[in-house]
């Protein structure tokens, strides 16, 4: 099988759909938990279940926000890993895994770097 035939077989249905799902899940590793934490913060601020008087305090509902964000991160990572295993089993090709894994690795590197840089900025007093 030539490289072009193998590339075509990776993207053919139903492998193409599974490949796309794996790639999208890999790209959601950073944005999905951020979105979930922002939604949790908005819900907590609007509902104010603890009856806090100062909601503008940055750590008002920190534990609820962190639990929501980490739960979404866990679900995305588990779904990503399951989709990779399914893709590997169906295609029997390591080339099919290259794009989803690359996208996920870039997401993780960018996420870690953004955390490091934000810590540097906040420790510098910015």
């Amino acid at each position: 099988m030539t490289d072009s035939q193998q590339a075509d077989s990776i993207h053919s249905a139903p492998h193409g759909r599974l490949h796309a799902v794996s790639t999208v899940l890999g790209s959601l590793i950073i944005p999905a938990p951020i979105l979930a934490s922002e939604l949790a913060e908005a819900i907590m601020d609007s509902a104010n279940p603890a009856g806090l008087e100062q909601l503008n305090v940055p750590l008002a509902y920190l534990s609820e926000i962190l639990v929501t964000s980490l739960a979404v991160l866990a679900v995305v990572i588990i779904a990503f890993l399951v989709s990779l295993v399914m893709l590997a089993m169906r295609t029997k090709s390591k080339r099919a895994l290259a794009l989803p894994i690359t996208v996920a690795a870039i997401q993780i590197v960018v996420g870690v770097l953004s955390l490091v840089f934000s810590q540097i900025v906040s420790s510098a007093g910015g």
Side-chain angles (χ1 to χ4, degrees), residues 81-110:
L81 293 175
V82 167
S83 70
L84 282 181
V85 169
M86 289 174 56
L87 184 63
M89 288 172 47
R90 287 188 185 170
T91 62
K92 296 184 179 32
S93 166
K94 292 180 181 178
R95 288 181 54 129
L97 304 176
L99 180 62
I101 290 174
T102 302
V103 169
I106 291 170
Q107 287 288 311
I108 292 168
V109 167
V110 168

Side-chain angles (χ1 to χ4, degrees), residues 21-84:
V21 167
S22 297
T23 304
V24 168
L25 286 170
S27 70
L28 290 176
I29 289 176
I30 297 301
I34 291 173
L35 177 63
S37 67
E38 294 297 322
L39 286 173
E41 183 178 12
I43 291 168
M44 290 296 173
D45 285 349
S46 65
N48 195 10
L52 300 176
E53 293 187 23
Q54 289 186 336
L55 289 175
N56 57 355
V57 177
L59 304 176
Y61 287 105
L62 181 63
S63 61
E64 291 87 350
I65 293 168
L66 284 175
V67 166
T68 303
S69 179
L70 292 175
V72 168
L73 177 63
V75 168
V76 169
I77 288 176
I78 290 169
F80 174 68
L81 293 175
V82 167
S83 70
L84 282 181

